[in-house]
Amino acid sequence: MLTLAALGAPLVFAILAACLLTLFIVRPGTPLELVPQLFVSGIDNFPLLAIAFFFLAGELMNVSGVTDRILRFANAVIGHVRGGLCQVGVVTSMVFAGISGSAVADAAAVGSVLIPAMKRAGYPPAFSASLIQTASVMGPIIPPSIPMIIYAVIAEVSVGRMFLAGIVPGLLIAGGLAGMSYWISHKRNFPRGERASAREILRATRDAALAIASPVIILGGILGGVFTATEAGAIAALYVLLLGTLVYRTLPPRLIWQSLVTAARGTATVLVILGASSIFAWIVADQKIGQQTVKLVFEISREPWVVLLLINIVFFIAGLFLDPLAALIILAPIFLPLASAIGLDLVHFGLIVVFNLMIGLCTPPVGYLIYLTARIADAPATAVVRESLPFLGVLGAVL
């Protein structure tokens, strides 16, 4: 599978080819009808509907100008401190994370607006890109979260509990990045914006209030038991749609259609990989690979902290070279028995795994967020990686 992926084969075909070959070798005579049955059963799952809805909510936010209003609000409140635009980037990413559930969507939406503004204000392009890419890691940690939905389906745990588990770590990430950017801003003497008047703060708050209410509605509804995480996705998409069409009037039919197509493509990309990986997971269970992994690791140590450290190292290395969702789908079934064997809560384990793999989005050689933000900033990718090191240290400390 890894060889085919390295040769450039689409991941879904690399997984399917590897699984078929494995079945022919270890289970000769297995009816091939099993393959499409497992594929379909892997995606025939109600909670997975939330992926499509949160993709759509993020796209609608991006094209309707909601992100701009959140940025103006954050700038009015904290833009006057030293390196104020850094704090604006962290706060905006945190708010946007409460709607989209995707790190890439977060980086594209916030970065396309804020990175050019930071460059105009005198911030180094590579530094601007490094801040936005690491802040975007909050996207899948602060609920809602597309990777957490996928993990919850694989591990058979509550999506709502997974979402709840991400709130405090997400706030820790935001606080750590804000503190580090404040320290760097003073050290490098970055500019500070003009202090907004009370009237300007009030106007920015009024303009952004309905946009900021979106994550509050999502979290409040899930916490209060008003609706499930899947229903929250539908409500979020509908809320942003109504906001853009009836309130802000910035969503013409052309942009709605564009958002639907983009969200459909994103959802399909995730689901076909998930369908193929359900065959992979069946082989892992059938061949007792999870139990063999437990036995192998326990030969090294039975100390929970040592086992957890080894798991983190494996997922970190996988995140360097694999797409995070692919690594999650492939490796989670293998290591879930090990997490259970050391008495680790599977919700806690899921949060650790998702966060670990999301850091891989900010590290070479794959690091999608590096290249995305470097392109927006028109800066060399190597310079973005170098500027990211202090922020990656913060993410590592939180992990």
Side-chain angles (χ1 to χ4, degrees):
M1 181 188 64
L2 293 174
T3 302
L4 286 171
L7 290 172
L11 188 62
V12 61
F13 298 123
I15 296 171
L16 285 173
C19 289
L20 283 170
L21 184 60
T22 304
L23 285 174
F24 287 140
I25 294 171
V26 303
R27 291 289 298 262
T30 301
L32 288 181
E33 291 87 343
L34 179 69
V35 173
Q37 287 173 1
L38 288 170
F39 189 103
V40 172
S41 66
I43 57 177
D44 183 17
N45 199 305
F46 181 72
L48 293 179
L49 280 173
I51 295 175
F53 290 128
F54 285 124
F55 262 125
L56 180 58
E59 286 298 322
L60 289 171
M61 273 198 69
N62 201 9
V63 301
S64 63
V66 172
T67 311
D68 295 347
R69 294 172 184 268
I70 297 172
L71 274 169
R72 286 198 293 270
F73 164 75
N75 193 40
V77 175
I78 56 173
H80 60 276
V81 301
R82 176 71 64 188
L85 285 181
C86 299
Q87 311 302 326
V88 170
V90 173
V91 171
T92 305
S93 294
M94 184 173 65
V95 175
F96 195 86
I99 303 169
S100 72
S102 165
V104 176
D106 197 337
V110 178
S112 61
V113 179
L114 191 61
I115 290 176
M118 292 179 75
K119 287 173 64 178
R120 287 193 299 271
Y123 293 81
F127 173 83
S128 307
S130 71
L131 174 67
I132 298 303
Q133 71 140 349
T134 46
S136 299
V137 169
M138 287 186 283
I141 305 301
I142 293 176
S145 166
I146 291 169
M148 284 188 188
I149 295 168
I150 293 171
Y151 172 83
V153 170
I154 294 170
E156 297 181 351
V157 297
S158 163
V159 177
R161 285 189 65 209
M162 285 300 303
F163 281 6
L164 286 174
I167 295 174
V168 171
L171 295 175
L172 287 174
I173 296 169
L177 293 177
M180 178 59 72
S181 59
Y182 183 78
W183 180 76
I184 293 174
S185 297
H186 272 271
K187 188 177 178 182
R188 298 195 190 180
N189 199 30
F190 284 160
R192 66 170 82 209
E194 294 182 7
R195 184 182 293 272
S197 65
R199 178 176 294 179
E200 289 170 335
I201 293 174
L202 187 63
R203 187 186 304 118
T205 304
R206 186 185 64 233
D207 289 345
L210 291 175
I212 296 171
S214 183
V216 175
I217 292 169
I218 294 170
L219 288 179
I222 295 173
L223 290 173
V226 180
F227 41 72
T228 66
T230 307
E231 292 162 348
I235 290 168
L238 180 62
Y239 180 82
V240 178
L241 178 65
L242 295 175
L243 206 59
T245 52
L246 301 181
V247 181
Y248 298 149
R249 300 184 185 276
T250 53
L251 263 183
R254 176 180 58 83
L255 291 181
I256 296 173
W257 173 253
Q258 176 187 316
S259 299
L260 286 166
V261 171
T262 306
R265 284 177 177 158
T267 305
T269 301
V270 172
L271 290 187
V272 292
I273 295 173
L274 191 58
S277 297
S278 64
I279 307 165
F280 185 97
W282 184 87
I283 294 173
V284 166
D286 180 67
Q287 296 299 305
K288 297 181 172 55
I289 295 173
Q291 288 82 343
Q292 293 175 43
T293 304
V294 173
K295 184 179 177 182
L296 178 66
V297 173
F298 276 5
E299 287 178 359
I300 300 171
S301 175
R302 287 179 174 267
E303 285 290 333
W305 72 269
V306 175
V307 175
L308 193 54
L309 180 62
L310 290 172
I311 293 173
N312 270 285
I313 291 171
V314 170
F315 275 95
F316 178 75
I317 293 171
L320 295 177
F321 300 100
L322 286 175
D323 174 271
L325 291 182
L328 172 65
I329 293 165
I330 293 166
L331 294 177
I334 296 174
F335 286 96
L336 278 168
L338 184 57
S340 297
I342 62 172
L344 186 64
D345 183 272
L346 293 186
V347 172
H348 181 196
F349 177 67
L351 180 69
I352 292 169
V353 167
V354 169
F355 185 19
N356 194 324
L357 291 174
M358 290 307 115
I359 293 175
L361 286 169
C362 305
T363 54
V366 176
Y368 296 148
L369 296 181
I370 299 171
Y371 306 109
L372 172 63
T373 54
R375 189 169 64 248
I376 295 172
D378 195 22
T382 51
V384 175
V385 172
R386 190 167 55 250
E387 291 278 16
S388 297
L389 293 178
F391 300 121
L392 290 172
V394 170
L395 297 182
V398 175
L399 175 64

